[in-house]
């Protein structure tokens, strides 16, 4: 084979692979360099790109196609066959056997009969042709086909709900990581501000110490405070970088993510809505509940299918065939009604009915169990959200007091009424309280996202858009 021919073959095979597997050729949607990333945009990228969500969507699509497969039984089934054989024609006479499907029965002279000439084995062959077309149409079967259609339809609904449940989890995951990156970035600003303040404090201590206005310990204390602030900044900077990697991973752009900034800020709102209202919303919107309910209906359809074996199945058939060793062929047509009725199958139908009923009952118990866990999830998230708001109020009050304490300590130190330890302690408390306020805002954001997840509210917002 020439080189050009080999290259052409490789290109041809590559084209076939591209056509056969288009899902692997999809391009990830990503951000533009310098783009301001909102939470809504992060959710959009996650739902478009994340392979877990795409996997469940494909599963739902496959389940929906199985509905069409089941409905195909209601339509006419048309078959055709064409056959050519080159075979011997040695007779078998009165030989009796069960045809295994691939040995043709050829009539002929009885074995042992007196003939002239006597039958003998021949290796000469002749042409044999066969062709035909047949049509079969389902009429009724007391629920088997329609029960299978109903089962596949409910399974498709369950698969769609499972896909939505995956999307709900992804929305919560990306929200949690978006808020984590916001919090880490805000903490970086807190400790960067602390470094600036302590650098100024160190400079002031050095100037005063050189003029013999303060002891040398003030300089050493300010240097230690500045070093601790720089260490804290390194830690929160690492947290911010890790949070960014985690967010990029959730959006499935980890290896191609450009530089971007976050558009939102951490904030909070008072809790509105009652616990009962949130629980009712969860019962109505949770996709895992919808999936179990669809599975229960699918099990009910299986009961119908199993019970149909107690009754006959009817259909019509018609066909045309042409068979011969040459031309003209022997032509035949046929038409009729086919009725089948299982009389005894070892009580298999009875066991199948009971199995389907037991499966349906098991799913109903699973629904009751999930409803109890939904109540627990909603109440826990609701209480955590209320607590997070109270924690923000406490953090605000603490931060205001720390700010006043720092301002007073700074004035006392500059007036010579306080020492450097009092000032650095006040600064340390203020920095800690400022970081704690950021943590409180982050805790509220995660608690709100958790409540939206357990009630299904975040998914409804996505579907609405």
């Amino acid at each position: 084979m020439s080189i050009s021919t080999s290259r052409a073959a490789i290109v041809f095979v590559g084209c076939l692979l591209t056509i056969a597997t288009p899902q692997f050729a999809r391009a990830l949607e990503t951000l533009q360099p310098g783009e301001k990333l909102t939470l809504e945009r992060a959710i959009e990228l996650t739902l478009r790109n994340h392979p877990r969500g795409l996997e469940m969507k494909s599963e739902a699509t496959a389940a929906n196609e199985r509905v069409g497969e089941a409905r195909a039984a209601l339509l006419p089934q048309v078959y055709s066959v064409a056959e050519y054989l080159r075979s011997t024609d040695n007779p078998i006479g009165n030989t009796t056997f069960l045809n295994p499907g691939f040995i043709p029965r050829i009539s002929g002279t009885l074995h042992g009969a007196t003939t002239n000439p006597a039958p003998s084995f021949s290796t000469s062959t002749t042409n044999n042709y066969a062709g035909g077309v047949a049509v079969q149409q389902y009429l009724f079967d007391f629920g088997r086909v329609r029960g299978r259609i109903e089962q596949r339809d409910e399974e498709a609904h369950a698969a769609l709900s499972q896909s939505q449940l995956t999307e709900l989890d992804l929305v919560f995951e990306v929200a949690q990581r978006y808020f984590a990156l916001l919090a880490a970035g805000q903490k970086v600003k807190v400790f960067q501000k602390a470094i600036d303040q302590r650098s100024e404090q160190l400079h002031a201590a050095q100037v005063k110490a050189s003029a013999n206005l303060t002891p040398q310990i003030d300089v050493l204390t300010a240097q230690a405070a500045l070093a601790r602030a720089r260490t804290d900044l390194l830690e929160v900077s690492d947290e911010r970088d890790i949070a960014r990697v985690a967010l990029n991973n959730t959006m499935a752009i980890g290896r191609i993510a450009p530089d971007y900034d976050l558009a939102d800020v951490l904030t909070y709102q008072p809790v509105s809505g009652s616990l009962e209202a949130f629980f009712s919303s969860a019962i109505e919107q949770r996709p895992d509940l919808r999936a179990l309910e669809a599975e229960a209906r699918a099990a009910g359809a299986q009961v119908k299918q199993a019970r149909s074996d107690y009754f006959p199945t009817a259909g019509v058939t018609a066909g045309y065939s042409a068979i011969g060793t040459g031309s003209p062929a022997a032509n035949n047509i046929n038409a009729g009604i086919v009725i089948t009725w299982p009389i005894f199958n070892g009580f298999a139908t009875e066991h199948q009915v009971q199995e389907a009923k037991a499966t349906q009952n098991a799913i109903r118990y699973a629904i009751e169990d999930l409803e109890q866990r939904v109540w627990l999830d909603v109440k826990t998230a609701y209480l955590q959200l209320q607590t997070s708001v109270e924690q923000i109020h406490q953090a605000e009050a603490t931060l205001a007091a720390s700010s006043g304490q720092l301002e007073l300590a700074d004035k006392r130190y500059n007036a010579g009424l306080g020492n450097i330890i009092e000032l650095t302690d006040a600064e340390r408390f203020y920095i800690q309280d400022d970081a704690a306020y950021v943590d409180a805002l982050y805790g509220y954001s995660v608690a709100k996202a958790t409540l939206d997840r357990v009630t299904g509210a975040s998914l409804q917002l996505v579907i609405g858009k």
Side-chain angles (χ1 to χ4, degrees):
M1 181 183 292
S2 65
I3 296 177
S4 59
T5 304
S6 300
R7 289 177 177 174
I10 293 173
V11 171
F12 177 71
V13 173
C15 292
L16 290 179
L17 291 176
T18 302
I19 296 173
T21 58
Q23 65 273 22
F24 297 110
R26 67 180 184 87
L28 293 176
E29 183 174 348
T30 186
L31 296 168
Q32 297 299 322
E35 181 177 341
K36 293 287 188 179
L37 179 64
T38 63
L39 177 58
E40 289 75 14
R41 176 64 171 154
I43 292 174
E44 178 186 357
L45 287 173
T46 300
L47 297 183
R48 286 176 181 266
N49 294 337
H50 205 289
R52 197 189 319 153
L54 297 175
E55 174 192 359
M56 296 308 296
K57 285 181 180 179
S58 297
E59 292 287 351
T61 301
N64 192 59
E65 293 301 324
R66 286 191 283 271
V67 178
E69 294 173 10
R71 290 185 182 276
L74 297 176
L75 301 177
Q77 310 294 307
V78 183
Y79 307 93
S80 64
V81 63
E83 182 180 296
Y84 167 76
L85 290 176
R86 183 80 183 178
S87 65
T88 61
D89 194 22
N90 296 310
I92 60 173
N94 57 352
T95 301
T96 300
F97 67 94
L98 296 176
N99 193 338
F102 62 92
I103 300 179
R105 182 176 183 87
I106 304 173
S107 59
T109 306
L110 296 177
H111 287 281
T114 302
T115 59
N116 189 17
S120 61
F121 176 76
S122 173
T123 58
S124 63
T125 59
T126 58
N127 294 319
N128 290 268
Y129 305 94
V133 62
V135 179
Q136 294 181 353
Q137 174 60 56
Y138 156 87
L139 292 180
F140 63 88
D141 58 7
F142 293 93
R144 173 165 291 276
V145 170
R146 297 189 182 278
R148 186 178 298 111
I149 294 173
E150 182 181 350
Q151 176 191 349
R152 296 300 187 220
D153 189 54
E154 296 300 339
E155 289 174 348
H157 283 98
L160 177 60
S161 296
Q162 290 293 343
S163 176
Q164 292 175 345
L165 179 62
T166 300
E167 290 184 342
L168 185 63
D169 291 336
L170 288 173
V171 169
F172 174 70
E173 181 179 325
V174 70
Q176 189 177 25
R177 292 181 173 178
Y178 185 88
F179 293 136
L181 181 55
L182 273 177
Q186 197 160 329
K187 278 187 177 182
V188 168
K189 295 179 181 179
V190 169
F191 287 102
Q192 185 61 59
K193 181 180 177 182
I195 289 177
D196 295 340
Q197 291 174 344
R198 293 191 171 185
S199 296
E200 293 177 1
Q201 178 187 331
L202 175 60
H203 177 70
Q206 289 172 338
V207 171
K208 291 180 180 181
S210 64
N212 294 323
L213 297 177
T214 57
Q216 189 65 27
I217 192 174
D218 286 13
V219 176
L220 297 176
T221 302
Q223 287 177 339
L226 178 59
R228 283 191 290 269
R230 286 173 174 167
T231 301
D232 293 335
L233 179 60
L234 286 175
E235 291 178 355
V236 297
S237 296
D238 186 56
E239 291 178 6
R240 179 193 58 189
D241 294 340
I242 293 175
R244 183 178 292 271
V245 171
L247 178 59
N248 292 341
N249 179 264
T250 303
M251 295 187 295
I253 59 172
R255 288 173 289 182
I256 59 174
D259 292 332
Y260 60 87
D261 297 321
L262 301 186
D264 300 323
V265 295
L266 291 175
T267 184
Y268 77 99
Q269 294 178 349
V271 180
S272 60
S274 65
L275 177 60
E276 289 296 335
F278 284 121
F279 177 68
S280 298
S281 176
I283 293 298
E284 181 181 352
Q285 298 178 156
R286 283 277 292 257
D288 45 355
L289 273 173
R290 301 287 79 77
L292 282 177
E293 290 169 355
E295 290 177 9
R297 292 191 294 270
Q302 286 182 304
V303 175
K304 295 180 184 179
Q305 294 179 61
R307 283 176 175 169
S308 69
D309 271 354
Y310 291 127
F311 307 100
T313 298
V316 296
T317 182
Y320 162 79
S321 63
I323 303 175
T325 58
S327 179
N331 299 293
N332 289 282
I333 60 173
N334 63 80
I337 298 178
V338 179
I339 297 178
T340 59
W341 195 340
I343 297 176
F344 180 72
N345 58 5
F347 304 105
T349 300
E350 180 67 21
H351 292 303
Q352 290 169 353
V353 171
Q354 295 304 319
E355 177 191 359
K357 287 182 177 180
T359 300
Q360 189 177 34
N361 289 333
I363 297 174
R364 287 171 178 167
Y365 292 133
I367 292 175
E368 293 179 8
D369 176 64
L370 181 55
E371 287 179 347
Q372 293 182 3
R373 286 188 282 119
V374 168
W375 169 256
L376 174 62
D377 292 343
V378 172
K379 188 169 185 178
T380 300
Y382 183 75
L383 293 176
Q384 288 176 342
L385 184 61
Q386 288 182 319
T387 301
S388 68
V389 173
E390 293 300 322
Q391 289 174 336
I392 290 175
H393 292 160
Q394 293 296 327
E396 288 175 335
T398 304
L399 183 60
S402 293
S403 178
Q405 180 185 7
L406 176 59
E407 183 179 359
L408 181 59
D410 185 61
K411 290 180 180 179
R412 284 172 53 83
Y413 179 73
N414 291 330
L417 300 176
N419 56 44
I420 190 68
I421 296 177
E422 178 185 356
L423 179 58
T424 54
D425 285 345
E427 288 178 339
R428 183 176 72 254
F429 290 141
Y430 176 77
I431 294 169
Q432 291 175 350
D433 293 337
D434 200 3
Y437 178 64
V438 175
D439 288 335
L441 290 174
Y442 169 70
Y444 167 84
S445 300
V446 173
K448 181 64 169 62
T450 302
L451 184 60
D452 289 341
R453 187 252 179 260
V454 299
T455 59
S458 54
L459 181 61
Q460 294 305 313
L461 292 176
V462 172
I463 294 176
K465 292 182 179 180

